[in-house]
Amino acid sequence: MKSNLRPVESRLSRLMFAYFFLATLSIYVVKPAKESLFMDALGKPRLPYAFLLTAILMGLAVAANSRLVQRVHRPVYVSSTLGFFILTSLIFWVLIRGPAPWPWVFLIFWSWADILLVTTITQFWIMVNDLFSPREAKRRIGFLVSGGILGGISGSLIAYFRPAGLETESLILVCPAILFVCALIVFLAWRNAPREAGEDAEGKPGRRKEEKAGLIQSFALLRDNRYMLYLSGMMVVAIIISNLVDFQFKTLGKAFFPDKNATTSFFACFNLGLLVFSYLLAAFMTTRILKNFGMRIALLIPPVFLLVGSVAVYFIPAGALLIWVIYMRGADKSLAHSLSQSVRELLYIPLPQNIKYRAKVFVDMFLNKFADGLTGLLLIAVSPFLELSPKEVSLIAIVLIIIWMALNIRVTSEYVNIVKGNLQIKWQDADRLVTEKIDVDMTKLVFDTLQSRERSSVLYAMNLFDLIKKEKMSPELKRLIAYKGNELKARSMDSLLDVEGEALLPEIDDSLEPDTMDAQVREIMSLDVYQELMKKQIEKVARGEGKEDEVARMEAAKVMGMMAPESPLIRELTKLLKDESAEVARYAAESAGRLRRREFVPLLINLLSRSATQEAAKQALVAYGDRIAGTLHDSLADPLENLATRKAIPDILARMQAQRAADMLVLELKKDDPAIEAELIDASRWMRSNSPELVFQERIVLTKVVSLIKKCYLLLLQIQELRADRKKEILVKDVENTLSRAMKHVFELLGLILPQEDVIRAYQNILAGTRKSLDYSVELLDNILRKDIRELLLPLIEDTPFEEKVRLSRKMINAAEKIDFT
């Protein structure tokens, strides 16, 4: 078997494999001895008492373990528990080997062996939770589970053959010897664990903040945590179904093999084959299933197999029931020992530490036996009405399997939410933060107003008028821009607004509502006499050139924006949009954005190429809305267009926040034009962030994602080549920066088709670089990405050595080239 483990992980993984192997070996040596000694001393009639006593003692064990797991350092807690079982196993050996052992010792020994089984396995998985992150555990899980299954096989073989002529009582002595080795392994495992594993805030291994921890508190914790409630329900229903299958298995087994020895041989042969098959499934399939299909599919496989078998019982003849029951029990237990157990343990890992361990002890130790009791009560309740034939029991199982599947789906959804909870947003998007906290248009208008005060009282008055219309002037802002009343009159424009000493622009009056003022101004400007007086003056000003007439042209450009769009004077704005002065062109662009006449669009697009006028032109074009999106797209798609203009257009389309504009951005992205790629991606990201309802074509986006991931692997190969020459360190830095930008673009594109906040969480925590943040980021991506993208992207961002990533690069490049979304 080819190991999926990395070299740096091998030692810790092998220690945990050895621990689980030895622990289950001791369990499967003691288990047949327990059953044989009990049946010989007390017989079948006393079995109900054994079940009852086990349930009572298990409750006490849960209460004790819940307290210890919170208060004692993990290695001490586990090794002390093993020490208790070593000591008590020796005591039982002495009592049972006595000349006339007390019969009820065998009853207590039965319950002790059950508690040993549940406690050692639960503690093993607690250590897995301590030592491994979700991503690490997913890589190791098949390997670790196979250790437990091999231990069960070995223990069963030892108990069956009893080497060196060991009597049944002597098998008990195997237990303390093996558990002592397990205790040593616990301390070795913690010495080899990464520093972050199993530590609290003070760096102490496995010790948590002391809280109330008992049976009642654990139940309350379960009740108040929705995820644990679903997880517990899933496990209880699964155990009940398993018990129903076991009931049918034992009933039909006895029916087909009535002889006692034949029945024993059948059960023994089945158990051995079951463990061997479970080992092969765990070793070769569990990790592959989790990697290729994810946790949700892995959880649905067992109920689907059992559902098929439960339905099949209605269609098979009576003579084939033995084959059917072997299939049912084999599918149930083999998947339970391998896939189901692996996934179930993974589901605990993302839980907060204060919840995880108490809940796990309660669920694994108490609810397990509680579900057994529920099965018995269920069968007793229906027995007066049913014969409990295979078909009738299967009908009950079918109903429960459907409930089980629904709970499985719900648990995986909640699991993703728990993983998200471990990933915090590290920083806010700057664009969104500015938009939410600052009114950019208002701020710009304030600065324009203050700046124009020193240049022209006309510009100042008109800017102030625009500011008042915003209805956002605080008292502080009013004091900031306050000016003498007589200077607010529009009288300095060389009689442009002044006829025989009377100002045609009304004086600003705070008592008037902004809408009223706006109506008055527009009414005055629409008068024929005003238009006639203004015509010659504006034509004269528009023809002017040079710095000496610049302010007058700025005033003319501004005042035309206050006129009606159908005014004949507006045509003079065309000349001002071509003005060599950036300030004049900027005021003209603002007015064009207010008037929204179609003939201004090409001139505004030309202004995008000038840095001084680009922002004003952008705002003006955005004001037109998506009715000019086609014109903008033509310029964007034209390779002969000025590059600065093309780079500016994606931002304009994004600000329109229209589906048509989003489609155009994605269509351009499909062309793989590196000159505008960054602008297209950034504009699309901004659009998605501010308008989540917009839809981006998934096929095109995924194709671009694959292309960028391929580029990342090519860059890795380039970095490796450049690193061989120390003189090229600057080039290495440059390529590394290109790689970082490409990765950023990958995540920005993924945010277009996946929940954007989830992608942002993952990306920011990958950049954070801590072991926990990286592991949980990868785990989140593993649950939200589609399979083909997941297999390409995750090796690129996982915490693996650079050399390993380079080694995988050519394989990943070939894989990327084979992906086709058409």
Side-chain angles (χ1 to χ4, degrees):
M1 178 182 69
K2 184 179 178 180
S3 175
N4 192 41
L5 303 176
R6 300 169 184 166
V8 294
E9 302 169 348
S10 296
R11 187 169 185 181
L12 180 60
S13 301
R14 287 168 183 161
L15 285 170
M16 295 306 295
F17 176 95
Y19 177 91
F20 202 24
F21 173 86
L22 293 173
T24 52
L25 187 150
S26 66
I27 289 167
Y28 277 87
V29 167
V30 170
K31 185 177 179 180
K34 168 200 79 172
E35 294 170 346
S36 176
L37 292 170
F38 181 90
M39 296 299 291
D40 184 62
L42 298 175
K44 181 180 177 180
R46 304 296 184 184
L47 272 175
Y49 295 99
F51 296 149
L52 181 60
L53 180 63
T54 299
I56 295 170
L57 294 179
M58 191 66 71
L60 297 175
V62 169
N65 275 277
S66 295
R67 288 180 170 84
L68 291 172
V69 78
Q70 293 290 318
R71 300 178 181 181
V72 182
H73 292 177
R74 193 73 69 240
V76 177
Y77 159 66
V78 176
S79 57
S80 299
T81 307
L82 293 173
F84 166 79
F85 284 113
I86 291 171
L87 178 62
T88 50
S89 64
L90 292 172
I91 293 173
F92 277 117
W93 179 75
V94 172
L95 293 175
I96 290 172
R97 290 281 296 177
W102 183 46
W104 295 106
V105 169
F106 299 101
L107 175 64
I108 300 172
F109 180 62
W110 174 289
S111 299
W112 174 90
D114 276 356
I115 294 172
L116 167 68
L117 183 152
V118 174
T119 302
T120 51
I121 291 179
T122 300
Q123 288 182 342
F124 168 76
W125 290 113
I126 286 176
M127 289 191 293
V128 170
N129 275 267
D130 273 330
L131 298 173
F132 304 135
S133 70
R135 191 69 184 165
E136 293 169 334
K138 194 173 287 186
R139 287 195 300 268
R140 296 166 166 86
I141 199 75
F143 177 68
L144 297 178
V145 169
S146 65
I149 296 172
L150 284 176
I153 294 171
S154 302
S156 299
L157 289 172
I158 290 172
Y160 180 78
F161 289 107
R162 286 182 286 117
L166 288 174
E167 297 181 0
T168 299
E169 294 86 347
S170 299
L171 290 175
I172 300 173
L173 287 177
V174 176
C175 182
I178 293 175
L179 293 183
F180 178 76
V181 178
C182 288
L184 296 177
I185 291 175
V186 170
F187 287 100
L188 287 173
W190 244 267
R191 288 184 60 185
N192 285 274
R195 185 174 181 179
E196 294 181 28
E199 294 185 353
D200 61 6
E202 299 175 358
K204 298 177 181 179
R207 186 172 184 173
R208 313 295 167 196
K209 183 180 179 180
E210 189 169 314
E211 300 175 4
K212 289 186 177 181
L215 200 61
I216 297 175
Q217 289 81 11
S218 296
F219 177 76
L221 184 69
L222 221 65
R223 180 194 60 204
D224 297 335
N225 187 287
R226 185 172 61 180
Y227 176 68
M228 284 306 306
L229 206 57
Y230 285 128
L231 182 58
S232 302
M234 179 192 79
M235 293 175 63
V236 168
V237 174
I239 292 170
I240 293 174
I241 294 169
S242 180
N243 287 334
L244 292 176
V245 172
D246 186 49
F247 175 81
Q248 297 177 90
F249 176 72
K250 285 182 168 57
T251 302
L252 289 172
K254 185 66 176 176
F256 277 91
F257 301 97
D259 181 71
K260 179 183 67 176
N261 293 329
T263 304
T264 302
S265 298
F266 169 68
F267 287 157
C269 182
F270 174 82
N271 287 333
L272 185 60
L274 175 67
L275 287 170
V276 171
F277 181 72
S278 298
Y279 167 73
L280 296 174
L281 187 61
F284 295 101
M285 294 301 297
T286 297
T287 302
R288 285 184 172 87
I289 290 172
L290 286 169
K291 179 180 178 182
N292 295 325
F293 301 103
M295 199 170 293
R296 175 168 293 184
I297 299 299
L299 274 175
L300 290 176
I301 288 175
V304 166
F305 269 88
L306 293 181
L307 183 62
V308 170
S310 297
V311 172
V313 73
Y314 290 93
F315 303 99
I316 59 176
L321 282 176
L322 181 63
I323 298 174
W324 170 81
V325 80
I326 290 173
Y327 161 82
M328 287 290 289
R329 188 59 175 167
D332 173 43
K333 296 307 292 182
S334 61
L335 290 170
H337 286 325
S338 54
L339 189 61
S340 294
Q341 184 178 21
S342 302
V343 177
R344 188 170 64 245
E345 299 305 329
L346 289 173
L347 291 171
Y348 282 110
I349 293 178
L351 283 168
Q353 303 286 19
N354 65 322
I355 295 176
K356 180 190 304 183
Y357 299 103
R358 282 189 291 159
K360 181 166 178 56
V361 168
F362 179 79
V363 171
D364 287 4
M365 296 182 69
F366 177 75
L367 281 188
N368 196 306
K369 295 300 175 183
F370 177 74
D372 290 342
L374 284 180
T375 308
L377 290 174
L378 176 63
L379 292 174
I380 292 170
V382 300
S383 58
F385 313 101
L386 302 174
E387 296 180 3
L388 298 181
S389 66
K391 291 184 179 180
E392 292 172 335
V393 175
S394 292
L395 182 62
I396 299 172
I398 288 171
V399 175
L400 292 173
I401 288 170
I402 293 172
I403 297 173
W404 185 20
M405 294 173 74
L407 287 170
N408 284 354
I409 293 171
R410 189 63 186 170
V411 163
T412 51
S413 298
E414 291 294 326
Y415 172 82
V416 174
N417 292 332
I418 294 292
V419 172
K420 291 179 193 177
N422 284 279
L423 298 171
Q424 301 300 320
I425 296 290
K426 300 294 184 181
W427 60 85
Q428 297 295 325
D429 179 73
D431 291 337
R432 174 177 285 186
L433 196 61
V434 169
T435 302
E436 291 176 352
K437 301 296 183 182
I438 301 173
D439 187 334
V440 178
D441 291 339
M442 179 75 171
T443 304
K444 179 180 177 298
L445 189 52
V446 169
F447 278 102
D448 285 347
T449 303
L450 293 173
Q451 187 180 41
S452 63
R453 186 169 64 180
E454 304 300 326
R455 306 182 70 171
S456 164
S457 60
V458 173
L459 282 176
Y460 176 63
M462 288 188 287
N463 283 330
L464 183 57
F465 176 66
D466 288 341
L467 197 57
I468 291 172
K469 287 198 296 181
K470 287 279 187 179
E471 299 186 74
K472 296 181 180 180
M473 288 184 65
S474 63
E476 294 79 7
L477 184 57
K478 287 182 179 181
R479 284 196 295 271
L480 176 66
I481 63 175
Y483 208 67
K484 294 180 180 180
N486 61 347
E487 290 183 285
L488 294 179
K489 298 179 180 180
R491 62 187 184 186
S492 66
M493 196 176 170
D494 296 330
S495 301
L496 178 62
L497 299 176
D498 199 339
V499 181
E500 298 181 356
E502 296 296 330
L504 293 181
L505 184 66
E507 184 174 341
I508 303 298
D509 184 353
D510 283 346
S511 64
L512 293 176
E513 292 294 327
D515 291 342
T516 304
M517 288 191 294
D518 187 37
Q520 288 186 7
V521 171
R522 291 191 179 278
E523 183 180 352
I524 292 171
M525 290 189 171
S526 65
L527 294 174
D528 291 340
V529 64
Y530 180 85
Q531 293 285 312
E532 186 64 31
L533 288 170
M534 293 288 291
K535 181 179 179 182
K536 292 182 180 180
Q537 191 68 15
I538 286 181
E539 288 175 350
K540 176 184 175 183
V541 171
R543 288 195 300 269
E545 296 180 359
K547 286 286 184 182
E548 62 276 3
D549 295 324
E550 183 180 37
V551 172
R553 297 198 304 277
M554 289 164 61
E555 292 171 339
K558 180 74 176 179
V559 79
M560 278 189 275
M562 304 174 74
M563 296 179 182
E566 62 273 8
S567 171
L569 295 177
I570 299 302
R571 65 176 180 271
E572 298 299 328
L573 192 61
T574 302
K575 298 175 183 177
L576 298 178
L577 284 168
K578 300 176 182 178
D579 200 285
E580 62 181 12
S581 167
E583 286 293 310
V584 174
R586 186 169 66 83
Y587 273 102
E590 290 176 2
S591 293
R594 293 183 179 185
L595 298 168
R596 301 174 195 173
R597 287 174 57 151
R598 188 79 187 188
E599 64 265 27
F600 298 148
V601 173
L603 299 173
L604 289 169
I605 291 175
N606 289 337
L607 291 179
L608 294 173
S609 62
R610 300 166 63 182
S611 58
T613 58
Q614 187 179 93
E615 185 57 36
K618 280 184 178 182
Q619 292 184 7
L621 290 166
V622 169
Y624 279 82
D626 65 340
R627 66 191 178 98
I628 64 164
T631 304
L632 291 171
H633 181 251
D634 291 341
S635 296
L636 177 64
D638 185 0
L640 300 179
E641 180 65 78
N642 181 278
L643 184 58
T645 299
R646 296 181 69 207
K647 284 176 174 287
I649 290 175
D651 185 39
I652 301 169
L653 291 171
R655 293 190 203 180
M656 291 177 179
Q657 300 188 47
Q659 184 61 55
R660 185 184 177 200
D663 293 340
M664 289 176 177
L665 288 174
V666 174
L667 286 174
E668 283 307 305
L669 199 60
K670 184 181 179 181
K671 296 179 181 178
D672 285 326
D673 187 345
I676 57 172
E677 180 179 273
E679 287 74 20
L680 290 170
I681 294 173
D682 189 59
S684 300
R685 175 202 58 80
W686 187 92
M687 211 172 189
R688 170 75 167 176
S689 177
N690 290 275
S691 302
E693 72 280 0
L694 296 178
V695 178
F696 293 82
Q697 297 181 49
E698 184 172 344
R699 180 178 58 82
I700 296 176
V701 172
L702 287 175
T703 301
K704 189 61 182 178
V705 166
V706 170
S707 174
L708 284 171
I709 294 175
K710 177 184 173 183
K711 177 182 177 181
C712 290
Y713 283 113
L714 289 170
L715 290 170
L716 284 175
L717 294 174
Q718 188 177 351
I719 291 171
Q720 182 195 37
E721 184 179 341
L722 291 172
R723 281 183 177 178
D725 188 349
R726 293 186 178 181
K727 297 179 181 180
K728 297 181 178 178
E729 289 183 3
I730 296 177
L731 286 176
V732 170
K733 289 291 183 184
D734 185 55
V735 177
E736 287 176 344
N737 290 336
T738 304
L739 175 61
S740 298
R741 287 193 296 271
M743 283 297 299
K744 179 174 179 285
H745 289 159
V746 167
F747 281 91
E748 287 176 337
L749 287 171
L750 289 173
L752 302 181
I753 55 177
L754 296 172
Q756 192 176 46
E757 186 172 318
D758 293 352
V759 176
I760 291 172
R761 287 177 188 272
Y763 178 65
Q764 290 185 359
N765 281 272
I766 288 169
L767 293 182
T770 65
R771 177 175 176 263
K772 178 182 176 181
S773 63
L774 179 59
D775 285 335
Y776 279 108
S777 297
V778 173
E779 182 64 16
L780 176 59
L781 293 171
D782 194 24
N783 282 274
I784 65 176
L785 291 176
R786 49 185 287 165
K787 181 176 178 290
D788 43 14
I789 301 298
R790 183 173 67 236
E791 291 178 347
L792 279 180
L793 180 59
L794 295 192
L796 193 61
I797 59 179
E798 284 183 316
D799 185 21
T800 53
F802 176 79
E803 293 74 16
E804 184 174 346
K805 290 182 180 180
V806 171
R807 182 181 60 81
L808 286 171
S809 292
R810 297 192 187 280
K811 176 183 176 182
M812 292 296 137
I813 290 169
N814 292 332
E817 291 173 346
K818 295 177 182 178
I819 295 178
D820 185 6
F821 296 106
T822 56

